[in-house]
Amino acid sequence: MNSLWLRGILVACLACALPMQASVAAAPTSPADPDKVLRFVFVAPETGFDPAVTRDLYSQLVNQSVFETLYAYDYLARPAKLMPSAAESLPEVSADGMTYTIHLKKGIYFADDPVFNGKKRELTMADFVYSYKRLFDPQLASPQTWLLEGKVVGLDEVAAQAKKTGHFDYDANVPGFELLDRYTLRIHLKQPDFNLGMILAHQPTSAVAREVIEKYRDAQGTVMGHPVGTGPYILSQWVRGSRMVLTANPDYRGYIWDFKASEPGDDAIVAKMKGKRMPQIGRVEISVMVEDQSRLLAFEGDEVDITELQGPLAPQVMIDGKLKPEFVKKGVQLSRIVDPEISYFYWNMQDPVLGGFSKEKIALRRAISMAHNVREEIKVVWNDEAIPLEYPIPPGVVGYDANYKSSIQYEPEVANALLDKFGYKIGADGYRTQPNGQPLTVRYSARADSNGQQQSEMWKKTYDSIHIRMVGDLKTFPDLLKAEKECQLQTRTAPWIADYPDGDNFMQLFYGPNVGQNNNGCFKMPEYDKLYAASQKLPPGPERDLLYHKMTRLLEVYAPIRIGYARYRNMIAQPRVIGYKKHPVMPTEWMYFDIEKRK
């Protein structure tokens, strides 16, 4: 059964990938026009550009432009479909799902850099193996180890030895990475993994050159400010937290645009783009604008070509999910999707006030969960630009269950009664104390921007409704991520957008071994971990769904988290932008669309 499922998926994906695969060789050098300039905006600062350690969405937009993975996604296909990128074709998968054979395209070269001493440096499968090993180097403390952890034969053992010695041996043999020749890699797995192709399309698995890392690495072994890849763009300017400029990689091989329409509106994109040599855009100028109104003013002043309308901005530009007539008249374009994401609320399970599995701590977290009005947050903070969720897997992702009903609902009266029952007494000041009589204060962390301020105010209202004192803690986005990884935040609203469009990518958020990586609430529960490990051995289907349901009920009973919502992503583009459509999984798309030259 598993073998048939795999073959079906691979045949479907191969059909969507063949046009790209057949046409790549048609363009030996980049066709990008340096006079075609795209001006783009980040709503939060980047952190750096080493694929092995990058965790934030905004840095990944740059990484996807500079580096390449073996696989990518069809630009127009919905639902998302895997296709070859640096790989020659989709993987050859054994009947038992435990062996993947992958062939690399020949003639792919890294961008020129002094480290290569004036010689062309060809990409080989050894570069991918080196890059995968970096995810396990304890010096890097990569937040992406989970992608291959426990999967590849011999890889965990090399990592364990590195933890003992303090040195990762990159030359050590890993039996699970069998290099058949310079362009062929056979991966041997410890157990079936039906998502490996999608994992190898995720930016942390991008290929880096060992010479670059060894030349430019910092004390932690990372290269955050000197990315050198084989992708369509080069990072030519970087002012940290302010401005980035990407210029076309002159040696990028390019491709012929030949994607197929999948949804209404796609035919117009195909008519404008079909047959073009890509990429067309020669320069991408990225500005960081944290304040919402600044982004909209820059767009209206024609200083920006594409920007995102987060909640506070949407009512100024849209009505009923569509552009207002005055923007339509100007030729502004809207690409609108429900992101394959969950925004969820977590409580740090290692925190002495909120964490732990004692009855009173479980009661505290459940009460807070029941006291929060998710629909009101959507209305107030996001201007109705989100949909409430009951399940940890969002729409558009394999494993989503539209009929699932959570046992945690908005019931503030029950929440107060629960706290009363478990000894959280209300004092003379109107606020509760802990059952041992100690003060009870919760520190809610959020981004230091208008959205973060509104979220903090919403949660203050929630905590006040159950007589718990709350203090706000606004931090920059990079500082939030750093503290979160180290389990230093007490509670936060954490957004997670799909790395790959499968439920596994969301259920792993609460897997114990992923603490310090993606398990933001630092939740460790043997029963959950056992169910998750079992789910990884199964293909999508009723048997895996049953395990996901059991895992979700555990999250509701012990309340380390509460599921919140999935936000709409509203991207607006100037009339000069040609063929743009927001992709649900790929961070960015500027190598797939075109723009007119500015007059």
Side-chain angles (χ1 to χ4, degrees), residues 349 356-357 362 365 507 509-515 519 521-533 550-560:
M349 291 295 285
F357 289 93
I362 295 170
R365 295 191 300 270
M507 303 310 286
L509 292 172
F510 318 111
Y511 181 49
N514 287 354
V515 169
N519 187 336
C522 307
F523 173 61
K524 293 183 179 180
M525 186 180 186
E527 188 175 355
Y528 184 97
D529 293 348
K530 183 178 179 181
L531 290 170
Y532 175 73
K550 291 180 178 179
M551 294 156 69
T552 303
R553 292 301 183 198
L554 288 175
L555 295 175
E556 293 165 12
V557 169
Y558 293 95

Side-chain angles (χ1 to χ4, degrees), residues 367 370 411-423 432 466:
M370 289 187 285
E411 299 177 290
E413 298 86 1
V414 176
N416 271 296
L418 188 61
L419 292 172
D420 292 339
K421 179 179 179 179
F422 282 89
R432 297 182 186 271
I466 50 176

